[in-house]
Amino acid sequence: MANELQGTLRDSFMIHIAGEGLPINHIKLAVKPGEKRTPVNKMLKSLTQAGYKRIGDILDAQYSKIDIINGLERSECKLLIGLLQRISDDPSLIINLEVLRFLEEEYIMKEERKGKIEVIKHRLREMGMIE
């Protein structure tokens, strides 16, 4: 436990990179139906006031610093850890994985196309057809 407190939250939670860029309010999406949202809203307000804007900002925070954020109670720290664990276990709570896969495939296709174009340009330069 002592080693855990020296690391960052990122060391404990594997949250998809697309989720890291989302505003911290997206953490609310991990709240299960029937659970109270008031403590979550209060926790998010405290985090926002402390300067945390994105989920990645929270992941970069030291465990030891989370406990001393003004206005963040111990129960809210546990709540934050629990919600981050849910998101880590099921990233689809905050991001649409199908859309994400589609965007990643599109990006890969564009990069492959760029690579092929560069090969063609190189060959044309060698042949003296373009500069």
Side-chain angles (χ1 to χ4, degrees):
M1 182 76 172
N3 287 339
E4 183 180 88
L5 292 177
Q6 292 176 359
T8 64
L9 296 175
R10 186 179 300 282
D11 298 334
S12 298
F13 304 107
M14 300 300 297
I15 294 183
H16 194 284
I17 190 121
E20 290 183 20
L22 295 173
I24 61 169
N25 286 337
H26 279 68
I27 291 175
K28 282 194 271 191
L29 298 173
V31 175
K32 293 179 181 175
E35 288 182 330
K36 294 181 180 178
R37 289 189 178 265
T38 305
V40 176
N41 290 334
K42 185 178 179 299
M43 173 198 65
L44 292 173
K45 183 177 179 182
S46 297
L47 290 170
T48 301
Q49 289 175 343
Y52 296 95
K53 293 178 177 33
R54 307 242 172 257
I55 292 175
D57 297 339
I58 295 170
L59 294 175
D60 290 334
Q62 299 281 329
Y63 267 101
S64 57
K65 295 200 177 179
I66 292 295
D67 284 345
I68 57 172
I69 292 174
N70 288 341
L72 197 64
E73 298 173 8
R74 190 170 217 50
S75 62
E76 292 168 342
C77 289
K78 290 180 182 178
L79 177 62
L80 174 63
I81 300 301
L83 292 173
L84 289 174
Q85 185 62 53
R86 283 183 197 171
I87 294 168
S88 182
D89 293 342
D90 185 8
S92 67
L93 291 171
I94 62 170
I95 54 176
N96 187 327
L97 295 177
E98 289 180 30
V99 171
L100 185 63
R101 276 190 218 105
F102 175 77
L103 292 174
E104 287 173 346
E105 288 172 8
E106 189 71 26
Y107 176 77
I108 290 169
M109 288 173 32
K110 283 181 182 178
E111 291 301 312
E112 288 173 353
R113 232 179 287 136
K114 283 181 186 177
K116 289 178 183 177
I117 290 171
E118 287 304 314
V119 169
I120 292 168
K121 284 181 180 179
H122 180 71
R123 287 183 186 157
L124 290 172
R125 281 188 194 101
E126 285 178 342
M127 294 170 52
M129 298 179 84
I130 64 170
E131 291 182 24

